[in-house]
């Protein structure tokens, strides 16, 4: 029992930290968001809603400048003010922004937020066990190696979620009559929009897949559906 106590404590700590993080995120989103009320984007969200047999899909604007979309742990969908501003400037089309909403709907529908709670807790347990084992053989570097290996595991899980959400969005956009083309075109301009240099880092260190790999996966889906 004494030997597994550190693992149980790590799991409990991970669960507590996730719940605290979810609570803090919900408070932040409540304080800094409003319901999106734009006719052009409402038309797009209504098309997605009809494809899902839902009366409405409520989208919120999160009042921060970075270009992003997110699905909150409670299932709400957000796009940032920075993303919305890009739409108003004509840098992003309504169809492209609809692909972001569809992607975040994918995270909700596929249960990624709930699964990440389990992953987060499990990663803390893995980190603790690895640190204990490696620390015996590599006294000073063991903890660092344990943290690095756990980070790589988390990044791989996150990339898997992104591919799944991309595929869900592609299917939904196709059913809604919007198609996959806006999703692909947005990916091709995403790094410029976010001022990202992710292409210079190894793909396995990134929490999101490389853009060209995501585009290739979508093109393969499109080809399979059209054949």
């Amino acid at each position: 029992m004494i030997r597994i106590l550190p693992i149980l404590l790590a799991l409990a700590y991970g669960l507590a930290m996730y719940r605290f993080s979810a609570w803090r995120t919900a408070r932040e989103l409540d304080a800094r968001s409003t319901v999106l009320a734009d006719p052009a984007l409402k038309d797009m969200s209504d098309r997605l809603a009809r494809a899902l047999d839902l009366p409405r899909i409520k989208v919120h604007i999160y009042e921060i400048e970075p270009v992003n979309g997110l699905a909150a742990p409670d299932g709400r969908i957000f796009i940032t003010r920075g993303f919305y501003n890009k739409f108003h400037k004509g840098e992003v089309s309504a169809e492209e922004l609809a692909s972001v909403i569809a992607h975040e709907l994918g995270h909700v529908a596929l249960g990624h937020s709930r699964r990440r709670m389990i992953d987060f807790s499990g990663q803390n347990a893995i980190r603790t066990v690895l640190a204990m084992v490696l620390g015996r053989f590599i006294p000073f570097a063991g903890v660092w190696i344990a943290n690095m290996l756990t980070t790589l595991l988390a990044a791989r899980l996150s990339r898997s979620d992104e591919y799944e959400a991309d595929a869900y969005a592609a299917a939904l956009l196709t059913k809604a009559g919007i198609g996959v083309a806006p999703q692909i075109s947005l990916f091709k301009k995403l790094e410029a929009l976010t001022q990202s240099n992710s292409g210079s880092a190894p793909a396995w260190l990134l929490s999101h897949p490389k853009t060209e790999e995501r585009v290739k996966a979508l093109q393969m889906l499109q080809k399979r559906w059209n054949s």
Side-chain angles (χ1 to χ4, degrees):
M1 179 64 183
I2 294 176
R3 291 183 178 180
I4 67 169
L5 184 60
I7 301 175
L8 295 176
L9 289 174
L11 284 168
Y13 173 76
L15 181 59
M17 286 300 296
Y18 177 85
R19 290 192 180 279
F20 175 74
S21 177
W23 171 79
R24 186 174 60 183
T25 298
R27 284 195 62 184
E28 164 78 5
L29 292 173
D30 288 342
R32 301 187 62 185
S33 67
T34 54
V35 176
L36 175 63
D38 185 294
L41 295 179
K42 185 179 183 303
D43 177 64
M44 288 292 128
S45 65
D46 285 347
R47 290 171 71 175
L48 296 178
R50 286 194 294 271
L52 291 169
D53 292 324
L54 295 174
R56 181 188 178 194
I57 293 173
K58 187 184 290 187
V59 181
H60 300 76
I61 293 186
Y62 182 24
E63 297 291 345
I64 60 173
E65 282 307 311
V67 171
N68 207 351
L70 65 104
D74 60 10
R76 287 180 294 169
I77 305 299
F78 295 82
I79 59 170
T80 63
R81 175 63 68 178
F83 223 148
Y84 185 62
N85 288 341
K86 296 291 184 183
F87 166 67
H88 264 292
K89 292 176 182 176
E91 297 178 45
V92 175
S93 70
E95 290 80 4
E96 288 171 336
L97 213 49
S99 76
V100 178
I101 296 169
H103 177 89
E104 300 306 329
L105 285 169
H107 281 309
V108 174
L110 297 169
H112 291 161
S113 296
R114 294 190 299 274
R115 191 168 74 203
R116 282 171 183 171
M117 178 177 70
I118 300 170
D119 292 342
F120 189 82
S121 303
Q123 287 158 26
N124 275 282
I126 292 170
R127 182 182 289 108
T128 300
V129 172
L130 285 174
M132 289 170 59
V133 173
L134 294 174
R136 292 181 180 181
F137 301 98
I138 317 172
F140 298 104
V143 174
W144 179 82
I145 294 172
N147 285 331
M148 183 184 71
L149 290 174
T150 310
T151 299
L152 293 177
L153 172 63
R156 182 173 182 176
L157 291 171
S158 181
R159 290 196 303 274
S160 175
D161 285 353
E162 294 305 316
Y163 278 123
E164 289 179 4
D166 285 349
Y168 179 97
L172 176 56
L173 290 164
T174 300
K175 186 176 180 181
I178 298 170
V180 182
Q183 194 177 8
I184 293 175
S185 65
L186 180 63
F187 277 143
K188 290 180 177 179
K189 63 175 78 168
L190 199 56
E191 287 188 15
L193 290 171
T194 58
Q195 298 181 332
S196 167
N197 64 348
S198 61
S200 63
W204 43 268
L205 279 177
L206 303 173
S207 61
H208 283 57
K210 294 183 77 171
T211 301
E212 58 267 29
E213 292 175 359
R214 298 175 80 172
V215 169
K216 187 183 297 184
L218 288 173
Q219 289 172 335
M220 289 177 65
L221 279 176
Q222 200 173 25
K223 184 179 180 180
R224 184 168 47 182
W225 292 338
N226 292 336
S227 61

